[in-house]
Amino acid sequence: MTLARRLERLGTETAFAVALAAADWGSRGNTIYPFHLGDINIPTAPHIVEAMNRAIADGKTGYCPGAGIPELREALAEDIGGQRGIEVDPGNVVVMTGGKPVITKFIQTVMDPGQEVLYPNPGFPIYESQIEYHGGTAVPYRYLPTEDGFRIDLDQVRAAITDRTVAIIYNDLQNPISAESTPEERQAIADLAVEHDLWVLSDEAYFEMRYEGESSSIAALPGMAERTVILYTFSKKFAMTGSRLGCAVAPPEVASVFSTLNTNDESCTTHYVQWAGIEALRGSQQSVSDMLGVLRSRRDATCELVNAIPGMSVEVPRSTFYVFPDVTEAMERVGTADLGDFAEQALHATGVSFCTRRHFGRPVPGEDRHYIRLAYSGIDESAIREGLGRLGEWVESA
């Protein structure tokens, strides 16, 4: 017997492979400083957990509508629309088991085999995986380093659009590089989408995970609401990564397809978790503010220590919980030209575990600098200081 050939095109989130390597090293009695996964080591707020438990006690443990319970769709429409300055009808909201299913169902809905979808690279690896798995051509667009952080190479995006291009995936407040679009960059992407009649997946997982400034959605720009799907997740803002709750905000014809796909794939999102989502949106927001305060302090410590390491440098991001330092000269100091070797040596020499640029899409021609990603969401500040201190000592002594 054989398996389906399309499985050869299925990628994965390779950060989990880094986690396995770190766990194996830790099982041998070594201290691990986990900067690899974008998980959050801050518990879900008690009032959200209580709402979930109350829903279980009240019998909210059976099937519910595939598109989500009406009460949650109403709360999401109000919150997402209000935060972005747009009108969102509950009928445009389709609840899902986290943010990842929005990527998969968007690709299934707007792309036929043989068509092309543009996606950010470096970027969340599931974009590339799902485009290729469903028979499309994944066309990467790159970011260029500037004095103000990374910027989309708009000339490359323009040149990459063909008559087979049907969509562009756009991740403002970006994982892994924490890039944030300027208004001009956001408008340029919108203009290209309108000019070439493209669908847009706006991945807004980190829309409210920011320390300075205000977030804006490309869906709020003229001509974009009818062609944009917003990806929303409870995982980051409410520290609910394991609860698996998110949604898509989509034009009516797309929302209808998403609802049907939900029924085919999962039947529905866990009923009692949806009631926890309502409490998260409409209950006290103090836990969100408190968590951002903790993450801001971790960000500042991480950037301070990284920039003190010989051969490493990073801009201080205004959002997400990642930094993406350039480690090119640090690699030269320790005598390796391979990012994978650098990460393995760092783990064994210092216990610091991190992902590299290679975990976020295939490198594109012309890349001559080397980067790693440090996630500070799952590691306490004291461990950040200890781990990065050890990393700095290792590089400096090389």
Side-chain angles (χ1 to χ4, degrees):
M1 293 186 292
T2 60
L3 300 178
R5 293 181 61 184
R6 65 177 175 272
L7 292 172
E8 298 171 2
R9 305 190 299 267
L10 185 64
T12 187
E13 190 171 350
T14 48
F16 289 104
V18 179
L20 287 173
D24 177 68
W25 187 243
S27 70
R28 305 182 203 179
N30 301 292
T31 300
I32 300 298
Y33 302 95
F35 289 92
H36 45 265
L37 279 182
D39 203 351
I40 302 172
N41 68 340
I42 299 171
T44 304
H47 68 285
I48 299 174
V49 175
E50 290 166 6
M52 190 183 306
N53 291 336
R54 189 165 54 248
I56 294 172
D58 290 343
K60 303 294 196 302
T61 54
Y63 289 125
C64 61
I69 60 175
E71 295 88 345
L72 179 57
R73 296 172 77 191
E74 290 169 6
L76 282 163
E78 178 182 329
D79 185 82
I80 293 172
Q83 294 286 343
R84 291 156 180 77
I86 57 177
E87 290 291 330
V88 176
D89 186 271
N92 298 117
V93 177
V94 181
V95 177
M96 298 191 190
T97 55
K100 277 183 181 175
V102 181
I103 302 170
T104 300
K105 289 164 185 172
F106 174 82
I107 296 300
Q108 289 177 282
T109 301
V110 307
M111 185 200 78
D112 281 322
Q115 292 182 321
E116 298 173 354
V117 175
L118 278 67
Y119 72 99
N121 185 342
F124 190 48
I126 302 305
Y127 304 146
E128 184 179 74
S129 171
Q130 287 301 303
I131 295 166
E132 295 183 344
Y133 179 68
H134 290 288
T137 299
V139 180
Y141 63 87
R142 67 186 174 193
Y143 287 79
L144 301 174
T146 74
E147 292 183 356
D148 299 319
F150 291 94
R151 294 284 176 259
I152 295 172
D153 186 344
L154 292 170
D155 289 337
Q156 187 200 25
V157 175
R158 293 186 186 97
I161 297 173
T162 73
D163 58 2
R164 295 187 300 277
T165 308
V166 293
I168 181 168
I169 298 175
Y170 173 63
N171 182 200
D172 200 356
L173 311 183
Q174 204 252 28
N175 172 21
I177 63 179
S178 294
E180 178 180 352
S181 283
T182 62
E184 294 77 17
E185 182 176 272
R186 190 178 302 110
Q187 184 65 60
I189 295 295
D191 290 343
L192 287 170
V194 172
E195 177 185 353
H196 295 279
D197 195 24
L198 304 179
W199 290 102
V200 175
L201 174 61
S202 183
D203 185 341
E204 300 183 6
Y206 299 91
F207 190 86
E208 291 155 310
M209 300 300 298
R210 62 178 310 131
Y211 314 107
E212 295 92 24
E214 295 183 2
S215 297
S216 298
S217 174
I218 196 170
L221 296 176
M224 293 305 294
E226 60 266 32
R227 67 180 65 253
T228 301
V229 172
I230 294 173
L231 182 157
Y232 177 94
T233 177
F234 286 79
S235 293
K236 316 303 181 183
K237 178 181 178 181
F238 299 110
M240 294 175 66
T241 53
S243 296
R244 309 313 306 140
L245 184 63
C247 80
V249 177
E253 68 274 25
V254 175
S256 176
V257 175
F258 283 179
S259 180
T260 301
L261 287 170
N262 279 3
T263 302
N264 276 263
D265 291 348
E266 301 95 19
S267 293
C268 59
T269 300
T270 305
H271 193 173
Y272 52 83
V273 171
Q274 294 189 53
W275 288 95
I278 296 169
E279 177 63 26
L281 292 167
R282 293 192 165 159
S284 170
Q285 301 300 299
Q286 186 59 48
S287 61
V288 176
S289 177
D290 292 344
M291 181 170 67
L292 283 173
V294 171
L295 292 174
R296 181 187 292 111
S297 183
R298 293 180 184 180
R299 176 204 64 176
D300 293 345
T302 300
C303 291
E304 173 194 342
L305 290 161
V306 165
N307 284 321
I309 297 175
M312 293 192 188
S313 61
V314 70
E315 298 290 327
V316 180
R318 303 201 306 168
S319 63
T320 79
F321 37 66
Y322 309 108
V323 295
F324 200 68
D326 186 323
V327 298
T328 308
E329 279 74 35
M331 289 174 57
E332 292 174 0
R333 286 183 67 98
V334 301
T336 182
D338 183 82
L339 262 175
D341 287 345
F342 179 70
E344 184 177 8
Q345 289 180 33
L347 174 64
H348 294 167
T350 71
V352 175
S353 175
F354 51 78
C355 294
T356 73
R357 184 266 178 269
R358 294 179 185 173
H359 294 96
F360 301 99
R362 303 183 190 102
V364 296
E367 292 188 21
D368 57 1
R369 306 296 295 179
H370 299 297
Y371 297 88
I372 63 173
R373 189 197 74 170
L374 300 173
Y376 51 84
S377 55
I379 178 170
D380 293 337
E381 185 175 338
S382 60
I384 288 172
R385 293 189 176 279
E386 184 175 317
L388 293 181
R390 293 183 64 176
L391 186 67
E393 290 171 0
W394 173 62
V395 173
E396 191 166 4
S397 66

